[in-house]
Amino acid sequence: MLRNLGLGLLAGVCLAAGVRAEPVTSFDLNNGLQVVVIEDHRAPAVVQMLWYRVGSADEPPGKSGIAHFLEHLMFKATDDMASGEFSDAVSAQGGRDNAFTSYDYTAYHQRVAADRLDLIMRMEADRMQGLVLSEDDVVTERQVILEERNQRTDSSPGALLNEQMAAAQFLNHPYGLPVIGWRHEMEGLSREDALAFYRANYAPNNAILVIAGDVDPEEVRTLAETHYGPLLPSDAVKPRLRPQEPPQLAARRIVMEDARVSEPYVIRSYLAVERNPGDQKQAAALVLLAQVLGGSSTTSVLARALQFESQVAVYTSAFYNPTTVDPDTLNLVVMPQPGVSLADAEAALDAQLARLLDTGFTPEEFARIKAQLRAQDIYARDDAQQLAQEYGEALAVGLTMEDIAAWPALLQDVTADEVMAVARAVLQDRTSVTAWLQAEGATR
């Protein structure tokens, strides 16, 4: 399936020194594959991550789970490898490999000794367009993903609640569908479905290759030309034209009861903006807001007020992922102390949100959070895989190398007033979903 293609490259682009600590080089192959090289010469190891700009939110209607299903099938046979040979070869070199699917991307990664990069590049390029699927492969692996759903979703009341919340939060957008898929649609996924999704989306012009570790950019360039350069781009790759959310006009509530629940909790989501190319300021402020509200189990607003002062809760949290293609959610969780009702826990949460919107937070709190974020960024420089993850994830959702370089400084530049402004914009009842998870028959 490999055919020759011109191997000329666009000029390499290096990020300015001083913006990020790690030396980073980026260049494109003529077939559209973007290549990012992150140098880290402290250990003779290398990480390869291949990111496809396609995830579960890009699936055809009625085929939920096909992106994740194809991820599993990518470990089957190719023109040049037997089924399972890819992972066996990586393991034989003392390395490790895996893959994952999200709403917005699918990624495949390996970590091996640096002198084995040629091998894993050759194998990863082979399965980009050389996948061979038998009907037996599809039947077997379909049962695997159904069992995965059994174990990770159907056996977990919390995971089931997350599905129900997403379906309530997103009125029109495919973020309301589970990444793993709805069971009744998973059961019908076929070999033809998998191959159609593969041929439409797995191509060099829909992918980002990130190489991080003890490598030289020019050597990576040569290897990329050799292994990925001959792959043909696809004219089937289409812009991401997803259904978007209409105005959300009413708060939604869910009460889910399950006999398996031993620790009830309240969780609330609010629709929230994402990072966009050249426009990341609001997302940066939301990162700070999540940290202020629930980023620490001891010093955040919710932890101090609900876990230590009033002792209403045993656990509180707030989380927000800014790196998505479309608006996602800011989420808050309160798990009450035994004997405290979910109604009282929710009332305490509401009181703290009202207090925050009224009085804000102290300069000392804000300075501490910024120092924590700065420390996290510094520690991330010590992990080649984490760096590859950071760059690949951002590029896969449409951000640029310049956006990635600017992000740490942008987090430090956010002001308290900007955080309060985004808090008032996002913490709106009409865009929220509040859910209670409790045992069957529990008093409401």
Side-chain angles (χ1 to χ4, degrees):
M1 288 190 177
L2 306 184
R3 298 182 182 178
N4 288 330
L5 185 74
L7 301 180
L9 299 175
L10 298 180
V13 178
C14 293
L15 296 184
V19 179
R20 301 298 295 249
E22 64 280 358
V24 181
T25 304
S26 177
F27 55 89
D28 292 350
L29 301 188
N30 273 358
N31 58 11
L33 179 69
Q34 183 176 8
V35 184
V36 177
V37 184
I38 307 168
E39 295 180 66
D40 182 349
H41 301 288
R42 291 173 295 177
V46 66
V47 172
Q48 173 178 245
M49 297 193 81
L50 185 66
W51 297 74
Y52 291 97
R53 297 183 184 92
V54 63
S56 66
D58 304 298
E59 295 168 338
K63 303 294 181 183
S64 65
I66 190 64
H68 174 251
F69 187 31
L70 178 57
E71 175 216 310
H72 278 243
L73 293 170
M74 286 290 285
F75 291 86
K76 301 302 182 181
T78 71
D79 287 337
D80 298 327
M81 291 185 292
S83 182
E85 183 179 343
F86 190 111
S87 293
D88 289 345
V90 172
S91 180
Q93 302 302 319
R96 61 178 187 266
D97 76 312
N98 213 325
F100 53 87
T101 304
S102 85
Y103 288 112
D104 296 313
Y105 46 75
T106 309
Y108 302 83
H109 56 94
Q110 307 86 38
R111 184 180 181 92
V112 294
D115 61 0
R116 300 298 189 269
L117 179 58
D118 179 80
L119 171 66
I120 60 172
M121 267 204 189
R122 174 177 60 79
M123 293 193 301
E124 192 65 84
D126 177 46
R127 68 177 174 178
M128 180 182 280
Q129 293 185 344
L131 186 64
V132 177
L133 292 180
S134 70
E135 192 62 42
D136 286 345
D137 288 335
V138 170
V139 171
T140 300
E141 209 61 36
R142 187 170 57 218
Q143 192 55 45
V144 170
I145 62 168
L146 287 167
E147 182 57 31
E148 183 177 342
R149 183 178 167 92
N150 283 341
Q151 294 180 1
R152 296 188 177 183
T153 304
D154 297 336
S155 65
S156 169
L160 290 171
L161 179 64
N162 289 342
E163 282 190 344
Q164 297 298 307
M165 285 192 69
Q169 180 72 77
F170 295 98
L171 307 178
N172 195 45
H173 194 281
Y175 285 167
L177 305 175
V179 173
I180 198 168
W182 298 118
R183 173 176 289 277
H184 67 285
E185 293 184 350
M186 295 167 67
E187 290 172 340
L189 296 177
S190 67
R191 177 176 178 272
E192 290 71 27
D193 294 331
L195 288 174
F197 195 76
Y198 174 67
R199 291 165 182 156
N201 297 290
Y202 278 50
N205 54 320
N206 201 36
I208 305 114
L209 175 67
V210 183
I211 305 295
D214 188 19
V215 292
D216 174 78
E218 287 306 313
E219 292 177 1
V220 172
R221 185 191 300 259
T222 299
L223 290 173
E225 289 177 339
T226 300
H227 297 302
Y228 291 98
L231 301 176
L232 288 174
S234 171
D235 58 8
V237 174
K238 304 298 182 185
R240 285 172 154 172
L241 301 177
R242 297 168 171 175
Q244 296 297 301
E245 283 297 290
Q248 296 197 355
L249 306 177
R252 281 133 283 163
R253 300 188 61 84
I254 295 171
V255 176
M256 183 170 174
E257 297 186 352
D258 192 300
R260 298 168 293 182
V261 174
S262 59
E263 296 177 318
Y265 59 82
V266 178
I267 180 169
R268 180 179 296 158
S269 60
Y270 295 91
L271 203 63
V273 297
E274 77 286 10
R275 293 168 66 184
N276 286 300
D279 181 16
Q280 305 182 92
K281 202 66 179 281
Q282 277 190 300
L286 278 166
V287 169
L288 271 293
L289 176 61
Q291 290 294 312
V292 165
L293 284 169
S296 167
S297 61
T298 56
T299 60
S300 66
V301 166
L302 295 180
R304 287 201 326 272
L306 303 187
Q307 294 175 226
F308 299 104
E309 293 173 8
S310 66
Q311 297 188 3
V312 167
V314 294
Y315 172 79
T316 59
S317 182
F319 51 95
Y320 161 70
N321 174 23
T323 313
T324 57
V325 170
D326 296 310
D328 200 355
T329 54
L330 171 73
N331 302 274
L332 309 172
V333 180
V334 178
M335 182 178 290
Q337 291 273 6
V340 175
S341 70
L342 292 179
D344 287 342
E346 183 181 343
L349 170 63
D350 287 335
Q352 290 307 311
L353 294 179
R355 178 182 174 187
L356 175 78
L357 293 174
D358 183 47
T359 63
F361 43 84
T362 68
E364 291 77 17
E365 288 176 308
F366 201 49
R368 181 180 64 250
I369 288 166
K370 285 194 172 183
Q372 291 170 348
L373 290 174
R374 179 60 181 151
Q376 290 173 14
D377 183 63
I378 292 170
Y379 293 144
R381 309 303 105 200
D382 287 334
D383 188 336
Q385 180 126 4
Q386 188 169 340
L387 283 172
Q389 175 84 25
E390 179 181 339
Y391 279 83
E393 182 178 4
L395 294 170
V397 301
L399 296 168
T400 67
M401 295 293 287
E402 291 74 21
D403 294 322
I404 299 168
W407 182 244
L410 198 59
L411 290 172
Q412 296 300 313
D413 290 342
V414 171
T415 67
D417 286 344
E418 289 169 334
V419 173
M420 291 306 302
V422 80
R424 295 186 183 98
V426 170
L427 299 177
Q428 300 272 347
D429 283 348
R430 62 183 173 79
T431 68
S432 71
V433 176
T434 303
W436 291 7
L437 180 64
Q438 61 186 28
E440 275 186 355
T443 303
R444 299 186 185 180

